[in-house]
Amino acid sequence: MNVVLICSDTFRWDYLGCYGNDWIKTPRLDKLAEESVLFLDAFAEGLPTIPARRVILTGRRIVPFRYFPQKSDLVGQQPGWHPLYDEDVTLSEVLQEHEYTTCFVNDTYHLMKPGKNFHRGFDYWYWIRGQEDDKWAIRDQKAVQKLLDECTGGAAWAGKKKHWITQHLMNRQTWRSEKDTNVARAMIKAADWVKDYTRSSCTEPFFLYVDVFDPHEPWDPPLKYARLYNRKFKGVDAIVPPATRKNMDDARFERVKAAYAGEVTLVDRWTGHLLDMLRNLKLMDDTLIIFTSDHGTMMGEQDEIHKGGDRLRNQCTQVPLIIRHPQKVGAGMRIKGFVQHQDIMPTILNMLGAPIPNRVQGVDLWPMVTQGKKSDRDTIISAFFHHASVRTAKWNYIAPWAKVGGKPRIELYDLENDPKELTNVIAQHPDVAKDMDRWLRNYIKEHSDETGGSIGPSIEVPLEDQALV
C-alpha cells in the first residue's frame, strides 16, 4: 500500500464543502471526501506551522512547548518553534526502514530553514522556492519601492522595505499563469514524481508527503479565483490585512474574504491535479490518502483576522482530517469524537502493519471507523506559543499556560449554546473557568518531562576514541 499525506497550511476546516460550507468551491477535495472518512472533531495539539508538523510527523505531543532560541530564524524566538529532536523518530524514517521509498515535496519554507531537518528520512526531497519571506528573488530596491507604491492599500507594511511581504512580491514577479503559483508548482512536482516513480523499475511502495503553504497569507490568488467570490476584485489591500476588521469598511473586508476563499479554491484545484495523476496511473486502489491542515484562521469572527496565540477558538484550532482507504473502507462516514494530529502517524503505521515506535503518543484512529470505537479523550489541549485552549464537548477555556507580557487574555465559551465561539462567558461561569484552569496547570506539570529533547550540535567523540579508517 502506498501512502500520500497532504498538509495545507491555514486551511479552515469549515471552508470545505464536505464540512458543510455552501459558498466556497472545493469540488476536488469534496470528491475525495465522498470516498473517505471525515473526522468531525479533529484539532491541532501544537500550533502553528513548525509545532504542528513536528506532531504530525512524530506522532508525539509537543505541549508544553520547549524554547530553543535560534539565531537563524526570527520566528524561532517563540516556544515550540524548533527543529526535530535527535531522539525523534519520524513517520518517514519508520517507513524508510520498512522498504518504502520516501519523497517530500514542500513549499513551506519554514521547514527548510537552517537546522530544521524536516527532510529526515526522505530518499527524495524537493523544495519549491519562493513562498512568503523565502530569499529567492533578489530584492531590487527600485522594484520594491515600485511595488510598495502600487500595493499600499493602507496596509501597515507600506513603506517597510524589509517587511516579508516585499520579498513575496519580488518572488512572484516571474508568475505568468496559475501554474507558476507555489501550490501549483508543488503539486505538479509531486504528480510528476509519482508518474516517474511508477514508470520506473522500482517495486517498493512509496510514501509521498506533500506540504503546501497556501492558503496561508499573503492572500493573493490569481484574480480569477478571487473573482469567483467578488466579481470586481482588485484586492491589493487584501494581501495582508490587519489583525482586526475594526476600522475596515465592509467593501474591503469582502475583498479579504474573497482573497482567502480564492486561495482555498486554488489549493483544491491543484490538489486535484495530484489526485488526478493517481487516478490516471490506476494507483487509487493501492494508495492511502490523508488530507489535513496545521490550523485555520479567523475570518472576521469577533472582528479578528488571522490566527494568533490568544485566538484558540475552533476557527483556528480545528482542522480538516480526511482519510481515504484504498478499498474505500468507511467511505462517507463522518466520525465524531476528539482526535488530534499525533494520531495520524500511528493510524498510518497500523494500517500498513508497521511497528509503532515507543515514542509515539497518539492512537490509531481506525477502530473508530471499523469497530465503532469512541474517542477515549473527553478533554484536549491545543496550544500556540504562550496560550493554550482546554476543550471539552461543553466548554472551551483559553488562557496563558506560561508567562506572557501585558494583560493576559482569558476566555470561556459555552459550546452547546455558542458553537461558533463568539461570546466570552467567563464572567458568568467563574467556577467552570477555575476548574478548567486547574486542569491546564496539572496537565502542564504532568507532561513537562515528556516534551524535551536534544537539538545539536552532536556530542563530540574524543579523538582517541575515534576508530581510524
Side-chain angles (χ1 to χ4, degrees), residues 141-419:
Q141 292 304 309
K142 290 184 178 180
V144 167
Q145 191 58 57
K146 182 175 183 293
L147 288 167
L148 290 172
D149 291 342
E150 293 174 351
C151 301
T152 53
W157 47 265
K160 296 181 181 180
K161 295 181 180 179
K162 291 188 176 181
H163 194 285
W164 63 264
I165 189 60
T166 64
Q167 180 65 56
H168 173 80
L169 292 171
M170 294 304 302
N171 289 342
R172 60 163 291 164
Q173 288 305 290
T174 58
W175 292 9
R176 296 294 176 265
S177 75
E178 67 175 272
K179 287 185 177 181
D180 297 319
T181 61
N182 295 301
V183 64
R185 288 190 291 137
M187 290 298 179
I188 289 170
K189 182 62 184 179
D192 287 348
W193 184 88
V194 171
K195 179 177 64 176
D196 293 342
Y197 183 78
T198 303
R199 292 178 177 177
S200 72
S201 59
C202 299
T203 59
E204 297 85 1
F206 64 81
F207 167 50
L208 171 64
Y209 173 39
V210 186
D211 199 299
V212 292
F213 204 44
D214 289 325
H216 188 289
E217 63 272 18
W219 295 324
D220 60 341
L223 285 178
K224 73 174 186 178
Y225 285 91
R227 285 176 178 167
L228 290 170
Y229 310 103
N230 187 327
R231 288 183 294 174
K232 298 181 179 180
F233 183 87
K234 292 183 180 179
V236 292
D237 58 352
I239 294 175
V240 187
T244 175
R245 66 161 300 187
K246 294 177 181 177
N247 303 319
M248 181 187 294
D249 61 47
D250 290 343
R252 184 182 179 193
F253 180 58
E254 289 303 314
R255 290 194 294 275
V256 172
K257 290 201 300 182
Y260 178 73
E263 288 265 349
V264 167
T265 299
L266 180 70
V267 171
D268 177 83
R269 184 265 180 267
W270 286 102
T271 301
H273 176 79
L274 172 58
L275 297 175
D276 287 345
M277 181 64 75
L278 294 170
R279 290 189 180 96
N280 293 339
L281 295 171
K282 302 187 185 308
L283 293 173
M284 294 294 279
D285 292 344
D286 194 32
T287 302
L288 174 67
I289 302 172
I290 303 98
F291 178 87
T292 192
S293 179
D294 53 354
H295 54 74
T297 186
M298 305 306 299
M299 194 53 62
E301 294 84 5
Q302 295 196 41
D303 286 333
E304 293 176 333
I305 302 174
H306 305 300
K307 62 188 180 292
D310 56 357
R311 301 175 180 189
L312 296 180
R313 305 189 293 279
N314 77 81
Q315 295 86 359
C316 287
T317 58
Q318 193 164 351
V319 295
L321 181 57
I322 302 170
I323 301 181
R324 183 192 184 277
H325 190 277
Q327 278 75 56
K328 299 183 184 178
V329 176
M333 290 182 66
R334 302 170 69 83
I335 304 295
K336 295 181 179 180
F338 288 138
V339 301
Q340 293 194 279
H341 278 149
Q342 62 266 31
D343 302 326
I344 293 174
M345 179 176 175
T347 300
I348 292 173
L349 292 179
N350 262 350
M351 281 193 191
L352 302 180
I356 297 176
N358 291 333
R359 281 181 61 82
V360 168
Q361 297 169 321
V363 298
D364 178 14
L365 301 178
W366 213 237
M368 298 176 72
V369 177
T370 59
Q371 302 171 22
K373 182 179 182 294
K374 304 297 184 182
S375 171
D376 57 5
R377 300 184 182 110
D378 55 15
T379 305
I380 59 170
I381 189 168
S382 301
F384 187 135
F385 295 161
H386 296 96
H387 282 79
S389 154
V390 177
R391 180 178 295 271
T392 67
K394 169 67 174 173
W395 303 102
N396 180 26
Y397 174 71
I398 302 167
W401 66 270
K403 292 181 180 179
V404 295
K407 185 178 180 180
R409 184 169 175 175
I410 305 176
E411 299 174 336
L412 181 70
Y413 295 91
D414 180 346
L415 305 181
E416 291 180 358
N417 297 304
D418 178 25

Side-chain angles (χ1 to χ4, degrees), residues 16-31:
L16 278 163
C18 57
Y19 278 94
N21 190 281
D22 60 2
W23 67 277
I24 297 178
K25 301 178 188 301
T26 55
R28 293 154 183 90
L29 286 168
D30 293 343
K31 180 180 178 181

Side-chain angles (χ1 to χ4, degrees), residues 97-114:
E97 291 177 358
H98 288 80
E99 299 184 352
Y100 269 72
T101 297
T102 55
C103 178
F104 180 28
V105 179
N106 162 59
D107 77 354
T108 304
Y109 81 109
H110 295 292
L111 303 180
M112 308 309 292
K113 288 177 176 177

Side-chain angles (χ1 to χ4, degrees), residues 408-436:
R409 184 169 175 175
I410 305 176
E411 299 174 336
L412 181 70
Y413 295 91
D414 180 346
L415 305 181
E416 291 180 358
N417 297 304
D418 178 25
K420 294 185 177 180
E421 303 178 46
L422 301 177
T423 304
N424 179 13
V425 294
I426 196 167
Q428 291 78 30
H429 301 280
D431 291 342
V432 173
K434 184 177 180 180
D435 288 344
M436 297 189 79

Side-chain angles (χ1 to χ4, degrees), residues 85-102:
Y85 290 138
D86 294 343
E87 296 91 340
D88 281 335
V89 180
T90 67
L91 176 59
S92 55
E93 289 171 326
V94 174
L95 293 181
Q96 194 178 50
E97 291 177 358
H98 288 80
E99 299 184 352
Y100 269 72
T101 297
T102 55

